[in-house]
Amino acid sequence: MKRHQVTIIDIAQKLNISKSTVSRALTGHPSVRTDTRQAVMELAQQMDYQRNMLAINLSSSQSRTIGIIVPEFVTSFFPIVIMGAQEIAAQSGYSVLISQSNETYETEVANAKVMLANRVDGVLISMTRETKNFEHFDVFKRKGIPLVFFNRVCHDIETPKVVVDDYEGAFKATEHLILLGKKRIAHLAGPPSLYISRKRLEGYKDALRKHKRPILDDLIISYDLTLEKVKIYVKYLLDLPTPPDALFAVNDPTAIEAINVIKEQGLSIPEQMAVVGFSNDYGSALIEPGLTTMAQPTREIGQVAAQLLLDQIHTDSSVWKPITRVLKTELIIRGSSQRN
Amino acid sequence: MKRHQVTIIDIAQKLNISKSTVSRALTGHPSVRTDTRQAVMELAQQMDYQRNMLAINLSSSQSRTIGIIVPEFVTSFFPIVIMGAQEIAAQSGYSVLISQSNETYETEVANAKVMLANRVDGVLISMTRETKNFEHFDVFKRKGIPLVFFNRVCHDIETPKVVVDDYEGAFKATEHLILLGKKRIAHLAGPPSLYISRKRLEGYKDALRKHKRPILDDLIISYDLTLEKVKIYVKYLLDLPTPPDALFAVNDPTAIEAINVIKEQGLSIPEQMAVVGFSNDYGSALIEPGLTTMAQPTREIGQVAAQLLLDQIHTDSSVWKPITRVLKTELIIRGSSQRN
DNA sequence: CCATTTCGTGGGAGCGTTCCCATGAAATGA
DNA sequence: TCATTTCATGGGAACGCTCCCACGAAATGG
């Protein structure tokens, strides 16, 4: 049942003026007589007229919407990033279209199509862990739609990126464990397909090197971030002839899961096994003992990414620069790596 | 720099047919010769044509978008609801426009306007804790845009609602504490302005009544859900001449905060003070001791609400029924209310 | 074999704006 | 006072699509 929508034409007719004038009055165009504008505004209010963004969007060929594609919604990380981005977008009058790729390449491609169909003015994206082919991003470049990567970025595409200093963060986290007196520090790493996994691994190794510690391949495990597997790997580590006395996990959910397994096995944290995570997720302060972690400025990632995107949207594509913004991490020390 | 968009006219010209035919071919209209359709499809692919939703939306006067207004994004509850809703919406080809009211009435009103301007086909909403005036919702009814409330619902408006059985949940939670042998059970309640607060309070009281326990006003505190205040109230309770030996908190963040305060004060949980929450948030399993809580089917709330909304969108407004779907809660017993 | 239905297609209005150009009135300057 | 600029407004194309109506050709039926 579509009842009639109130349009500027309705207003124009009642006021016996043209729709052009109504349009100008409503959009704040200077060359409209004050009394005319007044009358239009009042009548609009009275008829509860709402400007039709659908028409405005078509007319202006832009949606005033930015798209965000994230791999998942389960951990608190992405929702917080989205919140940050949404804030910045809203300040400039932009809406946000959200879609999750479910860590699946095909869904990511489909989502990209939806973004295109909806004529978003730009896209913020953090890739699936299985995305290795980047052709579906080319079309954005061809169509002149700016793209900003965050967190899980693609280095094969020239586009702005927002990341945290994964290398430095991992370096500091590992060094923290070394300075704590830990001798055998294990690393539960992410999949090598992710740049952040590789960088964190690198930081871990370099910290060991700096302090002249051996890098033991036994103690480095790469996994695909499906949490169910953490138990297997942690048990494996604990069952080694000479087990590690510390664990640096690639992210907080992994670390939290690891803590649960370690406690289950009856080991004391941090005495027998210290644990450090990465990102300072919501649960990290709650678990017992509290999780030492490299905090990422999660909300800020969203804000910075959105700002970068808006900047691109508002400048000519010929002057786009593929800036990479590297945000700092901060070591938060809690019980999992602290002698009481 | 707006380069030319590929439109159905471009395809039509290349193929020397009319745009009507191209449109029909692309939308799967039956009366198009198979070879024509084939040719159109191929050329469209080749020119990487993307249907322009902006135009389709204007033409059809509907956006194929549903709006969701939530009060906040901080706890894990709303993101999960949104995820559930998004899944259902996506299945029917609907996009989701998200906005957060920041627990502020004015923002909620502004967000409602944005939804209207974007011509969303329906809105899912959970109100601000300070929303007492519902006029900004009337316009949706006037314009025939369906509205579905969830979680924090408005009973003054005839519209579908999705809630959990707050009364029963609170009743069971309280009864659980009674059966545990607790004698003085306090309740840290939400603001009376929220229906769910009132219902939970009612369930709490009725459980006490059923078991012939006195209802002690000293032990019932209503607060505005700003977590910083939990400390004050919990301390107040603990400092009473005869302090309570159990606490039923209106939601999990409150309960978690309470546990932290109780531990800080050196009391043992659950021996000296048992705690039960409501909703089974992400952190509840992590905190030590684990938080006993009434689990809500969070994701399902989003799914059901979205489905109800889609149902309304697809039926004539004259046959809309203000169904209230009440989902069941489930008691999850953890360390905060369990001997050992 | 002619009248009627079916099929595939073309033409064009309409969705509600914005924005450019035109127009006439008022204001300005010499 | 007349030419020129400024101002407030109107008219209409454009945005890209859908959908209704019309039309000729082919298929059908008696």
Side-chain angles (χ1 to χ4, degrees), chain A residues 79-89 298-300 302-304 306, chain B residues 73 100:
Chain A
I80 295 176
V81 172
I82 291 174
M83 179 173 69
Q86 207 253 10
E87 280 168 18
I88 299 297
T298 313
R299 189 194 196 105
E300 198 186 339
Q303 295 174 329
V304 170
Chain B
F73 243 169
Q100 42 168 166

Side-chain angles (χ1 to χ4, degrees), chain A residues 1 3 5 48 50-51 53 58 73 83 86 98-100 117 119 142-143 286-288 316, chain B residues 1 3 5 48 50-51 53 58 73 83 86 98-99 117 119 142-143 286-288 316:
Chain A
M1 256 335 51
R3 49 182 21 80
Q5 307 239 36
D48 56 37
Q50 286 289 340
R51 56 210 293 257
M53 292 306 294
L58 175 62
F73 243 169
M83 179 173 69
Q86 207 253 10
I98 294 169
S99 68
Q100 40 168 168
R119 297 296 191 273
R142 281 204 299 279
K143 303 228 177 204
L286 300 177
I287 195 167
E288 186 75 20
D316 190 284
Chain B
M1 257 332 52
R3 57 200 350 96
Q5 306 239 37
D48 56 33
Q50 287 289 340
R51 58 209 292 257
M53 291 307 294
L58 176 61
F73 243 169
M83 179 172 67
Q86 207 254 8
I98 293 167
S99 67
R119 297 297 191 272
R142 282 204 299 277
K143 306 229 175 203
L286 300 176
I287 195 166
E288 188 74 21
D316 190 285

Side-chain angles (χ1 to χ4, degrees), chain B residues 107-123:
Chain B
T107 314
E108 185 174 285
V109 175
N111 287 344
K113 289 231 166 81
V114 172
M115 296 296 169
L116 247 21
N118 281 295
R119 297 297 191 272
V120 294
D121 296 339
V123 175

